[in-house]
Amino acid sequence: MNSKFLKFATALALLAAPAAWAADVRFEESRDLPMVYLNIMVRAGAAGDPKDKLGLANIAGEMLLRGTKKRGKLAFMKEIERLGASLGSNTTQEGTSITASFLSTST
């Protein structure tokens, strides 16, 4: 795996889970395809929402797809597409998963 991918994956894991025990990070590499797949499962789902803030975990997961300070949602998604990548988020009762796939530059 290339160093850019490892930096990206590490940054995502740190952003998604302040404590190392709170996330399950998995990498999948195939030398047959020039793709990298990343799945981070954060143990912070809807079941942990405060009673006065129901839906908080879902909103937090959706905010990952809303862009950045420099790029709005549309520009952010266009940049993801330009890179040949995909980014997704899904929140369940048990946790939130963040998935990404992108072309490997190391092949």
Side-chain angles (χ1 to χ4, degrees), residues 18-54:
W21 57 266
D24 180 22
V25 181
R26 298 187 187 251
F27 302 98
E28 181 181 333
E29 181 181 27
S30 171
R31 304 237 180 232
D32 298 333
L33 295 172
M35 295 290 294
V36 177
Y37 300 94
L38 173 68
N39 184 30
I40 301 173
M41 182 65 170
V42 182
R43 295 180 190 115
D49 284 349
K51 290 185 181 188
D52 62 336
K53 296 181 180 176
L54 296 176

